[in-house]
Amino acid sequence: MKDPNNTRNTMPRRGSPLWIFFLVVISLGAGAFVFTLSRLTASDLDALLGMPVILILAAFIVFGELRPIITPGSTENNGATTSTTFSFAALLYAGLPIAAVLQAAAVITCGVFRGRTPHRIAFNVAQYTLSLGAAQVALLLCGIHATPSALWVPQGDDLPAIALAGTVYFVCNDTLVGAAVALHARVPLIKALRWDLGYQVLVHLALLGLAPLMVVAMDRSAAFVPLIVLPFIAVYLNASVSVRREHQALHDGLTGLPNRKMLIMRTEEALAGVRAAEGTARRLTGMVAAGRGKQGEPTQRAGLFLLDLDRFKEVNDTLGHPTGDRLLQLVAHRLTHSVRPGDLVARLGGDEFAVLLPTVRDAAAAREVAARLRAALSEPVRLDGLSFDLEASVGIALFPDHAPDFELLLQRADVAMYNAKESRNGVEVYEAGKDRNSPARLGMLGDLRRAIDRGELELFYQPKISLLDGQLVGMEALIRWRHPEQGLLEPAHFLQVAEQTYLMRAITHYVVDAALAQASAWWKDDLSVQVAVNASGRDLLDTGLTETIENGLLARGLPAAALQLEITERILMNEPAYASETVRALAELGIPLSLDDFGTGYSSLVRLKRLPVEEIKIDSSFVQRLSGSAEDAVIVRSIVDLVRTLGLRSVAEGVEDPQTARLLREMGCDAAQGWHFGRPMDAATATEWLRSTLTRPRSSPDGSARIA
């Protein structure tokens, strides 16, 4: 059965080792073929006209190429082609020219019928020509030389010579094919030859062993030839039934891709290969850790991807399952033609696919493959007159870095995939800290819960400065964890873990309460400054957030303008259904809202105009490259112009030097925040800074009063 994961029709890259190998083999084969034909004499051609058995042989060789005997465990690439029996019989009976011509005609016919590419057809013709030529040389060394005008029929004492010729044919043919497979799959030649060596030896022993009997039958009468073919037909039919059953057990019925069962088998083989390579490295280096270098890193890895289509359910619900099925078939085709040679694409069910990388250098190389898969899927699809834009989330887990066996590897690729969906990053490599079931994460959650109870969390404050006159715009509250053992931890070390749990609500309530308490203290001290706090996606699911803020303001006698809520663009743009209700309630309360990390999401102008925000914060990833990247400068300028047009305030994040501050001011950006103006400060330090800043005039909007 046709293998949908077969990429051998893909033309090798010009100048690559495989391309050079093809060029050499095809050139040698063409030369041998031309030389062989030049040896035919006029008497040979006359003799062929009176040999109807040659036409019968030709028909059987073509049939043998078109219908290989594929047994369970083999594919159309390594199945037994019964043409071997008939072409070898032609070689023994009438010589190399006849055998080479008949085999070449069969290969070309089969190649055209199966849609094979010209380079693959040419290689197969050359491969068979060279193998038959090598067998002819072995026969000549034994004193056997058949021609159409001098036919040769073997006797009992000729069997050693035939065995030698058959062995030479097999070795030459298997080596040529094995070298092509090794270069295509990027594996050592010995490994490629050993993959199915036992199977190929047994099959060729049977096929080549029947050739002398075929010659004897042909010499008696052409009518005997079909009788020898009957066993082939019986074997072919039985094998087809077995293969069909095996294919159904190991492949997905819709896409034809390998299923979970085959993925398990191939993954176990890949893991065993990595372990063997590590063991070899240990023996060669004599190191204690198997195959590890100076940094303790594995010398070889295997990778498992889990890929899930985004919003595929919408296609099924809107256009029906038949269209969804066709879309899945198209996805399967794109994936199999985007992976590296030797990689395996499997369908696990629904819109979930897995990709096995038997060998991969490191996480960066795995990310490159994943990015190529996503790029292939992102090409627009047109079905039933409609155009689709496909996107997928990919989770990556590596062996032995992340898991010791298939089940755990798949589970951790699944964790990474859902992290990719949640973060909208597209591709994520497994991290224990993001795994809800990992011991490290559970330990972190326990420590964080106790930290809330013990008061180990505290707020630091960073100023936002006007670029127009250097005046203070506000202070952003940034949470820190004063860990008793690890010291002062920034949010990146613990907030990602907390955002997926009930602890996030407790942390948010602490931040709001602490920020309001500090704002109240400042306002009572005649330091009327607005304090901004960040809200997560889980916070917007909390219907009590608005009430908590309202009660906090009333209890401290603060106006709504004393607090600002920063919400990331990605949350508002990607989850508008649940975000809009909370955002609307906060706006009605009079809480100023800021759209954070602008430029990293997918805002539409219409939706942006409707949002009740007063401030847009330009993401630091653009700002920090402002002076060195013309493209980022254009992006920042465009955002500033857009924000001004909408009547909002623009704030640049991550300003770390005076040159960036100057460029932003020249672009018309309203305010900025970053180390150039002031690093995050604890409450006491921030209070002293505010007193010194608000009681003296600012001499420069570039930040002359900044602190270290």
Side-chain angles (χ1 to χ4, degrees):
M1 304 186 85
K2 196 166 185 178
D3 181 9
N5 209 35
N6 178 22
T7 57
R8 295 187 182 180
N9 264 347
T10 305
M11 180 68 180
R13 179 175 52 83
R14 188 179 183 86
S16 66
L18 181 58
W19 183 86
I20 295 172
F21 177 73
F22 270 24
L23 182 63
V24 171
V25 172
I26 291 172
S27 299
L28 291 175
F33 192 81
V34 171
F35 176 77
T36 296
L37 292 182
S38 67
R39 308 299 294 174
L40 285 174
T41 63
S43 59
D44 290 335
L45 296 176
D46 291 338
L48 285 174
L49 297 177
M51 294 175 61
V53 72
I54 296 299
L55 296 178
I56 298 175
L57 268 182
F60 286 144
I61 292 175
V62 171
F63 178 81
E65 281 293 320
L66 289 173
R67 290 289 182 266
I69 298 177
I70 304 175
T71 58
S74 63
T75 67
E76 64 171 358
N77 294 319
N78 61 358
T81 53
T82 53
S83 61
T84 300
T85 297
F86 306 112
S87 60
F88 195 67
L91 174 71
L92 296 176
Y93 189 54
L96 177 60
I98 303 305
V101 169
L102 295 181
Q103 185 65 62
V107 169
I108 294 172
T109 302
C110 178
V112 172
F113 182 80
R114 292 188 179 276
R116 290 174 179 166
T117 51
H119 79 274
R120 187 176 176 188
I121 295 174
F123 175 80
N124 290 146
V125 170
Q127 155 207 334
Y128 282 122
T129 301
L130 293 174
S131 300
L132 289 169
Q136 177 68 69
V137 171
L139 290 173
L140 289 174
L141 293 176
C142 296
I144 300 170
H145 183 208
T147 65
S149 56
L151 302 175
W152 182 74
V153 180
Q155 303 298 321
D157 54 359
D158 293 320
L159 290 180
I162 296 174
L164 175 63
T167 301
V168 171
Y169 173 88
F170 170 74
V171 171
C172 181
N173 187 61
D174 203 49
T175 301
L176 290 173
V177 174
V181 170
L183 291 171
H184 177 77
R186 301 178 184 180
V187 298
L189 175 60
I190 298 300
K191 183 176 181 179
L193 292 175
R194 291 175 58 186
W195 270 338
D196 61 349
L197 181 61
Y199 169 78
Q200 293 294 343
V201 168
L202 289 175
V203 166
H204 279 81
L205 184 64
L207 294 176
L208 295 172
L210 286 172
L213 300 179
M214 177 69 70
V215 173
V216 173
M218 287 189 299
D219 187 60
R220 288 294 186 93
S221 172
F224 286 121
V225 175
L227 296 178
I228 296 182
V229 176
L230 291 178
F232 285 112
I233 296 175
V235 171
Y236 174 81
L237 293 176
N238 287 330
S240 297
V241 173
S242 299
V243 167
R244 191 174 298 111
R245 290 173 180 168
E246 184 198 44
H247 191 275
Q248 291 173 349
L250 297 177
H251 290 78
D252 172 56
L254 176 64
T255 62
L257 292 174
N259 58 15
R260 182 187 177 95
K261 185 176 181 180
M262 178 175 253
L263 177 66
I264 294 174
M265 294 167 53
R266 290 288 302 274
T267 303
E268 293 295 348
E269 292 174 4
L271 302 190
V274 172
R275 292 189 190 101
E278 292 289 281
T280 301
R282 181 185 359 176
R283 289 191 295 272
L284 291 176
T285 61
M287 297 179 68
V288 176
R292 295 180 184 270
K294 293 180 180 179
Q295 302 299 323
E297 289 293 320
T299 59
Q300 187 172 324
R301 294 173 172 86
L304 186 64
F305 294 1
L306 206 59
L307 184 148
D308 188 82
L309 300 180
D310 298 335
R311 300 182 300 279
F312 176 75
K313 187 176 183 297
E314 298 175 11
V315 177
N316 268 345
D317 293 344
T318 306
L319 302 176
H321 289 279
T323 301
D325 289 347
R326 289 167 58 197
L327 193 60
L328 289 174
Q329 291 170 340
L330 180 62
V331 167
H333 177 80
R334 288 189 178 184
L335 290 177
T336 54
H337 288 79
S338 301
V339 295
R340 309 170 308 170
D343 296 343
L344 178 78
V345 179
R347 182 180 178 223
L348 301 182
D351 61 343
E352 198 169 63
F353 296 83
V355 180
L356 171 66
L357 277 56
T359 59
V360 63
R361 185 178 65 255
D362 51 26
R367 278 186 178 275
E368 290 178 7
V369 177
R372 188 162 65 245
L373 295 178
R374 295 188 75 242
L377 292 180
S378 66
E379 292 293 325
V381 178
R382 193 162 185 83
L383 288 175
D384 297 335
L386 297 175
S387 182
F388 300 91
D389 289 323
L390 289 177
E391 290 184 359
S393 299
V394 184
I396 302 172
L398 301 178
F399 170 86
D401 304 65
H402 303 141
D405 54 46
F406 169 79
E407 290 299 336
L408 198 53
L409 203 62
L410 184 65
Q411 176 189 328
R412 290 184 170 170
D414 186 60
V415 169
M417 186 265 290
Y418 277 104
N419 287 335
K421 277 186 176 293
E422 291 177 0
S423 64
R424 304 280 179 173
N425 289 335
V427 178
E428 284 282 351
V429 179
Y430 175 79
E431 293 181 25
K434 298 180 182 180
D435 187 350
R436 301 182 182 184
N437 302 310
S438 71
R441 180 183 178 277
L442 294 176
M444 172 71 77
L445 285 177
D447 290 344
L448 189 54
R449 184 176 61 252
R450 287 185 288 273
I452 297 172
D453 297 335
R454 295 171 181 170
E456 294 175 1
L457 300 181
E458 61 180 279
L459 294 184
F460 276 48
Y461 300 87
Q462 187 174 37
K464 289 189 289 186
I465 303 297
S466 170
L467 291 173
L468 303 178
D469 55 15
Q471 294 299 312
L472 180 69
V473 175
M475 301 285 279
E476 181 179 359
L478 303 169
I479 193 169
R480 297 291 188 268
W481 178 4
R482 202 169 289 280
H483 196 284
E485 297 176 359
Q486 301 179 39
L488 194 65
L489 299 180
E490 296 192 357
H493 290 86
F494 59 91
L495 273 193
Q496 284 185 334
V497 174
E499 283 176 350
Q500 303 169 13
T501 70
Y502 66 93
L503 287 179
M504 195 63 218
R505 180 176 180 180
I507 292 174
T508 300
H509 283 228
Y510 162 77
V511 169
V512 170
D513 186 68
L516 289 175
Q518 187 60 60
S520 176
W522 284 337
W523 281 59
K524 289 177 181 178
D525 201 18
D526 292 329
L527 302 174
S528 301
V529 59
Q530 184 185 74
V531 178
V533 298
N534 291 275
S536 69
R538 183 174 286 269
D539 294 332
L540 297 184
L541 283 172
D542 182 6
T543 57
L545 177 63
T546 305
E547 184 180 354
T548 299
I549 293 176
E550 183 178 13
N551 292 337
L553 291 170
L554 290 174
R556 294 172 175 85
L558 290 171
L563 183 72
Q564 183 188 58
L565 209 62
E566 293 188 3
I567 305 170
T568 63
E569 177 195 17
R570 189 170 289 147
I571 294 172
L572 288 180
M573 295 307 139
N574 294 329
E575 310 294 348
Y578 71 74
S580 58
E581 184 178 343
T582 304
V583 169
R584 191 181 307 112
L586 289 168
E588 291 174 355
L589 182 61
I591 300 297
L593 299 178
S594 174
L595 192 60
D596 200 9
D597 298 337
F598 188 81
T600 61
Y602 306 94
S603 305
S604 68
L605 289 177
V606 175
R607 190 178 297 172
L608 185 59
K609 187 176 180 180
R610 292 174 180 172
L611 287 173
V613 298
E614 67 170 24
E615 177 182 278
I616 302 291
K617 300 188 75 173
I618 307 170
D619 189 66
S620 60
S621 62
F622 302 114
V623 175
Q624 290 174 351
R625 297 193 298 263
L626 184 61
S627 59
S629 170
E631 293 181 356
D632 286 318
V634 171
I635 292 173
V636 172
R637 184 181 296 276
S638 301
I639 294 175
V640 170
D641 292 341
L642 171 63
V643 173
R644 185 188 305 114
T645 302
L646 294 174
L648 306 175
R649 181 172 66 230
S650 57
V651 179
E653 297 182 288
V655 179
E656 298 183 354
D657 56 76
Q659 182 182 3
T660 302
R662 178 180 56 80
L663 291 172
L664 288 165
R665 189 176 67 257
E666 292 173 355
M667 291 179 181
C669 184
D670 297 309
Q673 175 182 351
W675 285 12
H676 174 63
F677 299 101
R679 296 177 181 243
M681 302 167 272
D682 60 37
T685 306
T687 301
E688 292 301 319
W689 184 88
L690 284 173
R691 286 173 180 161
S692 64
T693 301
L694 296 180
T695 56
R696 75 170 190 269
R698 300 283 295 185
S699 59
S700 168
D702 287 343
S704 58
R706 64 183 182 272
I707 67 167

